[in-house]
């Protein structure tokens, strides 16, 4: 199954992926206020988590139902593609690891105070390191294993992350007011990649450890070795 987009299994994956993206956007934005009023904050988080988990499970099994095609959609699966894809994923893991440190975008106590501080670490690269980290990991998959099923899932993940980051800015402006606008003035949506060179070595090590863990889990979860595990 390489390029036939009318295959039932691929249609099922597209449907599952569309449901995941659509439900996430709907519950995060237009439906959020009404759901919180009806269910309360705890109830909303519970429903949100259940729907998201169900969508992910549906996507996973729909993805696994498709055998990876013998021929990729474009050049991939060779050592060079694997190295380039792994490099993207490693950079994404560094951004992802650093996104948990002092990030006012996270729903944690003290977020408004954090938004008034000078950005540090990967937040100097972009104010959305988690979203860009996920996107880089998605790009790495597309480079290394460019199949139809990968294009559907990772294309949706990249779209959800980057469009979601823009929409998050609007939501945070409404919730945090001047604090978030101060944060926007001090940071950038678009990554300033050269600043990755200024990230402390400890964070690079944390990102590398996260990358090694994710790629090690790739074999049992995805059925294919990833990263350095391809050659081990």
């Amino acid at each position: 199954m390489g390029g036939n987009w009318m295959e039932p299994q691929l249609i099922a994956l597209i449907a599952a992926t569309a449901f995941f993206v659509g439900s996430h956007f709907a519950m995060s934005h237009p439906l959020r206020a009404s759901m919180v009023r009806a269910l309360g904050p705890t109830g909303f988080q519970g429903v949100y988590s259940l729907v998201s988990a169900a969508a992910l499970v549906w996507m996973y099994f729909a993805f696994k139902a498709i055998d990876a095609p013998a021929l990729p959609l474009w050049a991939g699966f060779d050592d060079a593609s694997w190295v380039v894809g792994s490099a993207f994923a490693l950079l994404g893991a560094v951004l992802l690891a650093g996104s948990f440190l002092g990030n006012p975008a996270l729903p944690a106590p003290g977020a408004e105070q954090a938004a008034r501080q000078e950005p540090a670490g990967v937040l100097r690269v972009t104010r959305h390191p988690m979203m860009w980290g996920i996107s880089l990991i998605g790009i790495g998959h597309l480079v290394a294993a460019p199949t139809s099923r990968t294009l559907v899932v990772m294309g949706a993940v990249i779209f959800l992350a980057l469009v979601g980051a823009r929409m998050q800015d609007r939501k945070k402006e409404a919730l945090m007011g001047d604090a978030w606008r101060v944060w926007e003035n001090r940071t950038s949506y678009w990554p300033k990649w050269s600043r990755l060179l200024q990230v402390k070595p400890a964070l690079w090590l944390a990102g590398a450890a996260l990358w090694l863990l994710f790629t090690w889990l790739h074999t049992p979860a995805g059925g294919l070795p990833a990263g350095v595990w391809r050659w081990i």
Side-chain angles (χ1 to χ4, degrees):
M1 186 183 301
N4 187 356
W5 294 91
M6 297 308 294
E7 289 281 353
Q9 294 94 331
L10 193 54
I11 292 173
L13 178 61
I14 292 171
T17 305
F19 176 75
F20 174 72
V21 173
S23 62
H24 183 89
F25 276 133
M27 291 187 297
S28 296
H29 299 283
L31 298 181
R32 183 185 183 93
S34 58
M35 289 179 69
V36 170
R37 284 195 299 271
L39 303 170
T42 302
F44 166 75
Q45 288 296 333
V47 171
Y48 185 98
S49 299
L50 285 174
V51 172
S52 297
L56 282 171
V57 170
W58 183 13
M59 282 177 63
Y60 175 78
F61 284 107
F63 183 90
K64 294 287 286 185
I66 302 173
D67 292 329
L71 295 176
L73 299 177
W74 54 82
F77 287 102
D78 57 4
D79 284 351
S81 299
W82 222 258
V83 169
V84 174
S86 296
F88 274 110
L90 175 58
L91 293 177
V94 172
L95 289 177
L96 193 59
S99 69
F100 296 98
L101 303 174
N103 189 351
L106 298 179
E112 185 171 338
Q113 181 179 357
R116 297 185 184 278
Q117 304 299 315
E118 287 293 330
V122 297
L123 293 167
R124 297 186 70 248
V125 179
T126 171
R127 66 174 166 272
H128 295 292
M130 181 178 291
M131 302 302 195
W132 279 99
I134 291 170
S135 297
L136 288 177
I137 292 170
I139 292 170
H141 279 80
L142 292 177
V143 171
T147 66
S148 54
R149 64 177 189 172
T150 306
L151 180 61
V152 170
V153 172
M154 292 304 161
V157 166
I158 294 167
F159 175 82
L160 180 62
L162 298 187
V163 175
R166 274 299 192 192
M167 297 177 73
Q168 185 185 67
D169 280 338
R170 306 290 82 79
K171 182 171 67 177
K172 292 294 184 180
E173 286 173 4
L175 292 173
M176 298 172 63
D178 288 342
W180 190 260
R181 281 185 280 273
V182 167
W183 183 245
E184 285 183 311
N185 288 334
R186 289 175 172 170
T187 56
S188 173
Y189 169 84
W190 297 103
K192 297 181 178 180
W193 297 115
S194 62
R195 293 185 177 179
L196 268 174
L197 300 175
Q198 302 170 14
V199 171
K200 293 181 179 180
L203 194 50
W204 277 96
L205 289 174
L210 193 63
W211 175 72
L212 286 171
L213 174 62
F214 283 166
T215 52
W216 179 75
L217 292 172
H218 200 279
T219 299
L224 291 171
V228 295
W229 309 108
R230 173 183 171 93
W231 297 285
I232 296 178

